[in-house]
Amino acid sequence: MADPLRTIRKQTGNFLEDFRPGQVFRHKGGKTLTEGLFTTFTEFAMTANPLAKNARYARAYGFDGLVVPPGLAMLVAFSQTVEDVSENARTNREYVDMRFGAPVYVGDTLEVETKVLSMVPHRKVANLGIVHVQSTARKNVGASDEAVVMTWQRKVDVFKRDPAAELHPGEAEPDPVACELWLPPYDPKVDYAAMAHLSSADSYFEDFEPGTLIEHSRGRTMTSEHIHLTAILDNTSQVHCNQFMIDQNPERYVGGQLIIFGGIPFTLCLGLSSPDVGDNALGDLVYPTGRHTAPLFAGDTVFAATEIRAVRDFEGRPDLGVVEALLLGHKFVRSEDTPATADTPAGWRKVPIFELERHLAVKRRSHYA
Amino acid sequence: MADPLRTIRKQTGNFLEDFRPGQVFRHKGGKTLTEGLFTTFTEFAMTANPLAKNARYARAYGFDGLVVPPGLAMLVAFSQTVEDVSENARTNREYVDMRFGAPVYVGDTLEVETKVLSMVPHRKVANLGIVHVQSTARKNVGASDEAVVMTWQRKVDVFKRDPAAELHPGEAEPDPVACELWLPPYDPKVDYAAMAHLSSADSYFEDFEPGTLIEHSRGRTMTSEHIHLTAILDNTSQVHCNQFMIDQNPERYVGGQLIIFGGIPFTLCLGLSSPDVGDNALGDLVYPTGRHTAPLFAGDTVFAATEIRAVRDFEGRPDLGVVEALLLGHKFVRSEDTPATADTPAGWRKVPIFELERHLAVKRRSHYA
Amino acid sequence: MADPLRTIRKQTGNFLEDFRPGQVFRHKGGKTLTEGLFTTFTEFAMTANPLAKNARYARAYGFDGLVVPPGLAMLVAFSQTVEDVSENARTNREYVDMRFGAPVYVGDTLEVETKVLSMVPHRKVANLGIVHVQSTARKNVGASDEAVVMTWQRKVDVFKRDPAAELHPGEAEPDPVACELWLPPYDPKVDYAAMAHLSSADSYFEDFEPGTLIEHSRGRTMTSEHIHLTAILDNTSQVHCNQFMIDQNPERYVGGQLIIFGGIPFTLCLGLSSPDVGDNALGDLVYPTGRHTAPLFAGDTVFAATEIRAVRDFEGRPDLGVVEALLLGHKFVRSEDTPATADTPAGWRKVPIFELERHLAVKRRSHYA
């Protein structure tokens, strides 16, 4: 009889005791943005900005080709960090100071590194702690057009694997990362007005008024498609795609069912807002903060609204202005006996799922239409 | 306390009172045909024509590369008109005189304009009217290869938003649009016979017989995938993707569930017919008429058949012939106590869902095999 | 009254009586590997090898660009043979001696030919026989880079259509097919170590130990997405996509529901194993045998494990080694009253679904890290 096989099962991802302030992860894989990935997500999110849909428009504006929307660039870059940072997380607390830099085009390859800024044991919950990291995504490493495309921080609650293991709390300084939004120059020789019909007539800088809340008209029902969407980003976190695992212990997992990867409502809400807010933007400058406030499941319908908080000049760019906004995503859950309100039908309860502070670089009608 | 936010909710799409004969819409967005979009739809439709599957075959035949099937070109172009023309429609009555022109390749960008030809209030139903429009799709506007790829008319029933609003009935002349199917020349130096095994042996021009009905052997069950398929065409009409909206008022919406965008059975029936009818065609010349005759829902299985109505010479092209056909799509619904018929099992009822008159430019065996 | 239409229904695929030893099928279609197809499957399978995800890595290693994983190349090539060989099969018995040759890149076009090696009536079951075929896939036929990409044999049980038809049993010799795995040369000038972080640190040749069983940590739940995945491979076999057909005769079809095309668990198990076994491989040399041992349905969760059987030098390539492995796929089905075992929870039964012998060409840490 042959010797019995020795079984090996490798650890996937890191647990709380594995994190040390100052530690650097150079994440595996990297990802080339193919036209397949671009189409799946740009259209999934119902993005309306013609920079992401119409290559002749994008090139006329001074980009190299179709522009990967910031939501997709964020998704691809963020997903590269999941295995090392949040594979064994309970929840993602928030995104902080997400800044955009070089434009991302189809064919670009993104690679990501992460530095651990701090690890703090949870004050109340045993075997849990808050890990704070800083990540930076670069494109085309080693090539002449290598550049930083985005950098951000996030805080996440991570489980301990071994209750008796020693932790390594502490803090490290974030690295200074040069990351400023690249924008094509304004070219007075380009006939922008001839292309103005390709975007909305009323989402120029001059149209935004602080103190208004724009309710975006469209909703989008999620289905089991989310499993494929998440896998094609290389995010293999099991709570999104392993129903058998959920079935063994439904009480342990939120909702007792597969939960949708947060990046999906993130990018979907950006897309749902784009006909009213984003389609005359040349780019997003920064997301100062962002967080998920409730889970999302197949069968839920996602809606969005944008609160306009402030408008200001864009230094050095008289053709543009900065709009400071708060993007809000929500869904409805059945709630028997709940009466109707101004924005919710009877028998339903409105549940906020996502919020994102967002600064956009928006075209001025005076220069572009 | 901060001032309360002023809520803005923009109108999406046009209502009956917004249409005026002679009015021209230059639709927003435009769309570049990426390889992602091409693969999703060409294969979704189970297209069998090697011009759409095999790049070396397509180039040997004189095309620049993989040829976007007419069904996909139609879907992309048509979807660009949905927001302005049919976002608030009750039903799409029919397609009329859909003519094809320049070939569409991966990487081409389509932009579409629509002219309102007439608006007529419905004789019986209040707050409804029939809008008749003419649309034209061009590729690569502003570039050296700018060309008309297709032009068509359609009639659609549109709701009034405000019962008291003034309507603008009347008629305008259609624009003359030069749009003739581009075909690669016959080249006697090309060894077409060496490639003949890549298509069916029995779908050449000589094989078609007027008075026959070809029942295509394959069926295809639709799933919730249709939501994604529709969104990636930029068609955000809510009856296809917003289950919450349906839930508020199921009686108002056909079937009380999400309804599948008509372009999907349109392109699927073309694909289902292609192994028997389309895979030795160099292109579709025109769809004289088309209409949907019943709705389609997730869970339905789509079938197709083609009636061969006439065959005739193709003037100036002795290597080709014209086949005039009627493409018919159907599904089955459960129908207790219904006995079996020649083409329907017991307990089921055959429901026609789609019909399309179709003229194809088909290769002659004498020249190509 | 017009003459009634004459109905034509063409036979799809071949039945047992249609096969003759020595017969050659030149399969219809061919298939160009677009970025859409590449993304859908490479990511669906959760492939971790950066050769398939990161174009700058692939080029640095001496490939022309992103490398199509062997599982996807197999899927595309195999699917081209389905209509002629197994459209009317009961089961696919096994794959034999699947050897890989030239690398496949996005943009390559694959065409496939099949030779019938033998047909043997089933000894016990009437109207059934075993057909043994040899298939070879070439890329870019007629171009300067035309090459064999893979060659394999398979055995399949095929139905007779007409019980009274004469069969043609017998044997023919397989064709000798030159097909050796192409690998980029080792280049001492390339800084491989600088890219080592992009793949796992512990899946180099030196890390594999015969007699171990590596349980891959991830599972993936299948959904109705399989219908689309199968269609985009041109596999239109109705048991995968025609629910209406199943509904007419549920007892005839395995599980009484749509069954997932075997190529899907084939490629998924390869992907699930890749973080532990495949991500430092430069290619797969051969799959000596493979077979499906149980059906797979939407709702099942797929898992995988790899048994390491042997390791040996790679003649002529001191930078590589050969790992001989057995890839095993399984799922769980509910099984009331079944007690827990070492690897199965109570109330479930572990069901093997797939096994594949696999020889990989793996990098040595000594040369690459």
Side-chain angles (χ1 to χ4, degrees):
Chain A
M1 195 183 90
D3 290 337
L5 298 171
R6 180 168 71 83
T7 299
I8 295 172
R9 199 181 169 90
K10 301 186 180 182
Q11 173 177 309
T12 308
N14 293 296
F15 288 87
L16 192 62
E17 56 264 45
D18 300 317
F19 289 94
R20 289 163 167 67
Q23 184 180 18
V24 172
F25 297 103
R26 305 183 70 199
H27 302 300
K28 285 192 293 184
K31 194 156 190 76
T32 298
L33 255 139
T34 61
E35 281 192 4
L37 192 66
F38 178 88
T39 292
T40 298
F41 280 97
T42 307
E43 318 308 354
F44 160 72
M46 299 184 187
T47 301
N49 192 326
L51 292 174
K53 312 167 68 58
N54 185 324
R56 75 113 171 171
Y57 180 98
R59 284 190 291 261
Y61 265 78
F63 292 96
D64 290 354
L66 289 172
V67 182
V68 170
L72 174 55
M74 184 286 301
L75 259 190
V76 172
F78 182 89
S79 299
Q80 299 288 304
T81 73
V82 166
E83 185 179 340
D84 288 328
V85 177
S86 52
E87 182 119 356
N88 302 304
R90 183 179 75 166
T91 52
N92 208 28
R93 282 189 171 234
E94 59 175 324
Y95 312 94
V96 179
D97 194 33
M98 185 172 280
R99 290 181 284 133
F100 293 91
V104 183
Y105 302 111
V106 166
D108 283 340
T109 299
L110 301 191
E111 293 176 26
V112 186
E113 291 189 13
T114 294
K115 177 176 181 178
V116 178
L117 301 183
S118 76
M119 195 288 287
V120 175
H122 200 286
R123 278 184 311 236
K124 297 184 190 162
V125 179
N127 299 319
L128 194 71
I130 305 164
V131 177
H132 183 171
V133 300
Q134 170 192 34
S135 298
T136 300
R138 290 177 174 77
K139 71 175 198 176
N140 303 338
V141 171
S144 58
D145 62 342
E146 173 174 348
V148 172
V149 303
M150 57 187 300
T151 186
W152 74 98
Q153 298 181 19
R154 69 157 159 150
K155 297 180 184 176
V156 53
D157 287 1
V158 183
F159 285 111
K160 266 180 107 170
R161 174 189 48 240
D162 173 6
E166 179 190 355
L167 293 177
H168 309 276
E171 294 195 24
E173 280 298 307
D175 293 336
V177 178
C179 184
E180 198 177 307
L181 181 64
W182 180 91
L183 292 165
Y186 181 75
D187 184 349
K189 295 190 310 301
V190 172
D191 190 355
Y192 296 109
M195 295 182 287
H197 63 284
L198 295 172
S199 60
S200 297
D202 59 1
S203 62
Y204 289 95
F205 178 72
E206 295 92 326
D207 298 316
F208 290 100
E209 191 183 325
T212 53
L213 176 73
I214 304 172
E215 292 185 352
H216 308 302
S217 59
R218 296 182 174 122
R220 172 49 155 103
T221 304
M222 294 299 311
T223 74
S224 60
E225 70 204 303
H226 73 87
I227 299 176
H228 182 70
L229 294 175
T230 301
I232 72 176
L233 294 166
D234 307 323
N235 181 346
T236 52
S237 182
Q238 293 288 278
V239 292
H240 308 311
C241 65
N242 187 338
Q243 181 62 50
F244 178 78
M245 180 185 77
I246 308 278
D247 289 343
Q248 304 318 307
N249 203 346
E251 294 77 29
R252 170 172 169 154
Y253 297 99
V254 180
Q257 53 180 308
L258 294 179
I259 188 172
I260 296 180
F261 167 44
I264 289 181
F266 193 131
T267 202
L268 179 56
C269 290
L270 284 169
L272 290 174
S273 74
S274 65
D276 302 322
V277 171
D279 75 335
N280 278 307
L282 290 188
D284 284 3
L285 290 150
V286 59
Y287 302 150
T289 66
R291 61 194 189 103
H292 301 285
T293 49
L296 189 68
F297 304 105
D300 288 339
T301 303
V302 178
F303 297 89
T306 298
E307 180 190 328
I308 306 301
R309 291 186 148 177
V311 296
R312 55 181 170 83
D313 290 344
F314 192 134
E315 191 182 321
R317 290 297 299 250
D319 58 307
L320 305 174
V322 178
V323 175
E324 298 184 6
L326 179 67
L327 172 65
L328 299 158
H330 67 272
K331 68 177 191 180
F332 296 93
V333 297
R334 290 194 182 274
S335 182
E336 220 174 287
D337 300 335
T338 301
T341 70
D343 60 7
T344 306
W348 295 87
R349 186 166 51 87
K350 179 174 174 179
V351 176
I353 58 170
F354 178 68
E355 52 185 67
L356 183 77
E357 287 189 79
R358 180 184 183 198
H359 297 184
L360 303 85
V362 183
K363 295 183 302 186
R364 291 181 188 259
R365 179 179 289 104
S366 54
H367 286 67
Y368 285 98
Chain B
M1 192 184 93
D3 290 337
L5 297 171
R6 179 168 71 83
T7 300
I8 296 172
R9 196 181 170 91
K10 301 187 181 182
Q11 172 178 308
T12 309
N14 293 297
F15 288 88
L16 191 63
E17 56 264 47
D18 300 317
F19 290 93
R20 288 164 169 66
Q23 183 181 19
V24 172
F25 297 103
R26 306 182 70 198
H27 302 300
K28 285 192 293 184
K31 193 154 191 78
T32 299
L33 255 139
T34 61
E35 280 191 5
L37 192 67
F38 178 89
T39 292
T40 297
F41 281 96
T42 306
E43 318 307 353
F44 160 73
M46 300 186 187
T47 301
N49 193 325
L51 292 174
K53 311 166 69 59
N54 185 325
R56 76 111 172 174
Y57 180 97
R59 285 190 290 260
Y61 265 78
F63 292 96
D64 289 354
L66 288 173
V67 181
V68 170
L72 174 55
M74 183 286 302
L75 259 191
V76 171
F78 182 90
S79 298
Q80 299 288 303
T81 72
V82 166
E83 186 181 340
D84 288 327
V85 177
S86 52
E87 182 119 356
N88 302 304
R90 183 179 75 165
T91 52
N92 207 29
R93 283 192 169 231
E94 58 176 323
Y95 312 95
V96 179
D97 194 31
M98 185 172 280
R99 290 180 284 134
F100 293 91
V104 182
Y105 302 111
V106 167
D108 284 340
T109 299
L110 301 192
E111 292 176 27
V112 186
E113 290 189 14
T114 293
K115 177 177 184 178
V116 178
L117 299 184
S118 75
M119 195 287 288
V120 175
H122 200 285
R123 276 184 314 235
K124 296 184 191 161
V125 180
N127 299 319
L128 194 70
I130 304 164
V131 178
H132 183 173
V133 300
Q134 170 191 35
S135 298
T136 300
R138 291 176 174 77
K139 71 174 198 176
N140 305 336
V141 172
S144 58
D145 61 343
E146 173 174 348
V148 172
V149 302
M150 57 188 298
T151 185
W152 73 97
Q153 296 180 21
R154 69 159 160 151
K155 296 179 184 176
V156 54
D157 287 0
V158 182
F159 285 111
K160 264 181 109 169
R161 173 189 49 240
D162 173 9
E166 179 189 356
L167 293 177
H168 308 278
E171 292 196 23
E173 280 298 306
D175 293 336
V177 178
C179 183
E180 198 176 306
L181 181 64
W182 180 91
L183 292 165
Y186 181 75
D187 183 350
K189 294 190 309 302
V190 172
D191 190 356
Y192 297 108
M195 295 182 286
H197 63 282
L198 294 171
S199 60
S200 297
D202 59 2
S203 63
Y204 290 96
F205 177 73
E206 296 92 326
D207 298 316
F208 291 101
E209 191 183 325
T212 53
L213 176 73
I214 303 172
E215 292 184 353
H216 307 302
S217 59
R218 295 181 175 122
R220 169 55 152 100
T221 304
M222 294 300 310
T223 75
S224 60
E225 70 204 303
H226 74 86
I227 299 175
H228 182 69
L229 294 176
T230 301
I232 73 176
L233 293 167
D234 306 323
N235 180 347
T236 52
S237 182
Q238 295 286 278
V239 292
H240 307 311
C241 65
N242 188 339
Q243 181 61 50
F244 178 77
M245 180 185 78
I246 308 278
D247 289 344
Q248 304 319 306
N249 202 346
E251 295 76 31
R252 173 176 167 150
Y253 297 99
V254 180
Q257 54 180 306
L258 294 179
I259 188 172
I260 296 180
F261 167 44
I264 288 181
F266 192 132
T267 201
L268 179 55
C269 289
L270 284 169
L272 291 175
S273 75
S274 66
D276 302 321
V277 172
D279 75 334
N280 279 306
L282 289 189
D284 284 3
L285 289 151
V286 59
Y287 302 150
T289 65
R291 62 194 187 105
H292 301 286
T293 49
L296 189 68
F297 304 104
D300 288 338
T301 303
V302 178
F303 296 89
T306 298
E307 180 190 328
I308 306 301
R309 292 186 148 177
V311 296
R312 55 182 170 82
D313 289 344
F314 192 133
E315 190 182 322
R317 291 296 299 249
D319 59 308
L320 306 173
V322 178
V323 175
E324 298 184 7
L326 179 67
L327 172 65
L328 300 158
H330 66 272
K331 68 177 191 180
F332 296 93
V333 299
R334 289 193 184 275
S335 181
E336 221 175 286
D337 301 334
T338 302
T341 70
D343 61 7
T344 307
W348 293 88
R349 187 166 51 87
K350 180 176 174 179
V351 176
I353 60 169
F354 179 67
E355 51 185 68
L356 183 77
E357 289 188 78
R358 178 185 185 198
H359 297 183
L360 303 86
V362 183
K363 297 182 301 187
R364 290 181 189 258
R365 178 179 290 104
S366 54
H367 286 68
Y368 286 98
Chain C
M1 193 185 92
D3 291 336
L5 296 171
R6 179 168 71 82
T7 300
I8 296 173
R9 199 181 168 90
K10 301 187 182 183
Q11 173 178 308
T12 308
N14 293 296
F15 287 87
L16 191 62
E17 56 264 45
D18 300 318
F19 290 94
R20 289 163 170 66
Q23 182 180 20
V24 172
F25 296 104
R26 304 182 72 199
H27 302 300
K28 285 192 293 185
K31 194 155 191 77
T32 299
L33 255 139
T34 61
E35 280 192 5
L37 192 67
F38 178 88
T39 292
T40 298
F41 280 97
T42 307
E43 318 307 355
F44 160 73
M46 301 185 187
T47 301
N49 192 326
L51 292 175
K53 312 167 66 60
N54 185 325
R56 74 114 172 171
Y57 180 98
R59 284 190 290 260
Y61 265 78
F63 292 96
D64 289 355
L66 289 172
V67 181
V68 170
L72 175 55
M74 185 284 303
L75 259 190
V76 172
F78 181 90
S79 299
Q80 299 288 304
T81 72
V82 166
E83 185 180 339
D84 288 328
V85 177
S86 52
E87 183 120 356
N88 303 304
R90 183 180 75 167
T91 53
N92 207 28
R93 282 189 171 233
E94 59 176 323
Y95 312 95
V96 179
D97 193 33
M98 186 172 280
R99 289 181 284 133
F100 293 91
V104 182
Y105 301 112
V106 167
D108 283 341
T109 299
L110 303 192
E111 293 176 25
V112 186
E113 291 189 12
T114 294
K115 177 176 181 178
V116 178
L117 300 184
S118 75
M119 194 288 288
V120 176
H122 200 286
R123 278 185 312 236
K124 296 185 191 161
V125 179
N127 298 319
L128 193 72
I130 304 163
V131 178
H132 182 173
V133 299
Q134 170 191 34
S135 298
T136 300
R138 289 175 175 77
K139 72 173 196 176
N140 305 336
V141 171
S144 59
D145 62 342
E146 173 174 348
V148 171
V149 303
M150 58 188 297
T151 185
W152 73 98
Q153 298 179 19
R154 68 158 160 150
K155 296 179 183 176
V156 53
D157 287 1
V158 181
F159 285 111
K160 266 181 108 169
R161 174 189 47 239
D162 173 7
E166 178 190 354
L167 293 177
H168 309 276
E171 292 195 24
E173 280 299 305
D175 293 338
V177 178
C179 183
E180 198 177 305
L181 181 64
W182 180 91
L183 291 165
Y186 182 75
D187 183 350
K189 296 191 309 303
V190 172
D191 190 355
Y192 297 109
M195 295 182 286
H197 63 283
L198 294 172
S199 60
S200 298
D202 59 1
S203 62
Y204 289 95
F205 177 72
E206 295 92 326
D207 299 315
F208 290 101
E209 190 185 326
T212 53
L213 177 74
I214 303 172
E215 292 183 353
H216 308 301
S217 59
R218 295 181 175 122
R220 170 55 152 100
T221 304
M222 295 300 311
T223 74
S224 59
E225 70 203 302
H226 73 88
I227 299 176
H228 182 70
L229 295 176
T230 300
I232 72 177
L233 294 167
D234 307 323
N235 180 346
T236 52
S237 182
Q238 294 287 278
V239 291
H240 307 312
C241 66
N242 188 339
Q243 182 62 48
F244 178 78
M245 180 186 78
I246 308 279
D247 289 344
Q248 303 320 305
N249 201 345
E251 294 77 30
R252 170 172 169 154
Y253 296 99
V254 181
Q257 54 180 306
L258 296 178
I259 187 172
I260 296 180
F261 168 43
I264 289 181
F266 192 131
T267 203
L268 179 57
C269 289
L270 284 169
L272 291 174
S273 74
S274 64
D276 302 320
V277 173
D279 75 334
N280 280 306
L282 290 188
D284 284 3
L285 289 151
V286 58
Y287 302 150
T289 65
R291 62 195 187 103
H292 301 286
T293 50
L296 190 68
F297 304 105
D300 288 338
T301 303
V302 178
F303 296 89
T306 298
E307 180 191 328
I308 307 301
R309 291 185 149 178
V311 296
R312 54 182 170 83
D313 289 344
F314 192 134
E315 191 183 320
R317 290 296 299 250
D319 59 308
L320 305 173
V322 178
V323 174
E324 298 184 6
L326 179 68
L327 172 65
L328 299 158
H330 66 273
K331 67 178 191 180
F332 296 92
V333 299
R334 290 194 183 274
S335 181
E336 220 174 287
D337 301 333
T338 302
T341 70
D343 61 7
T344 307
W348 295 87
R349 185 166 52 87
K350 179 175 175 179
V351 176
I353 59 170
F354 179 67
E355 52 185 68
L356 184 76
E357 288 187 79
R358 180 184 183 197
H359 297 183
L360 304 86
V362 183
K363 296 182 301 188
R364 291 180 187 259
R365 178 179 289 103
S366 54
H367 286 68
Y368 285 98

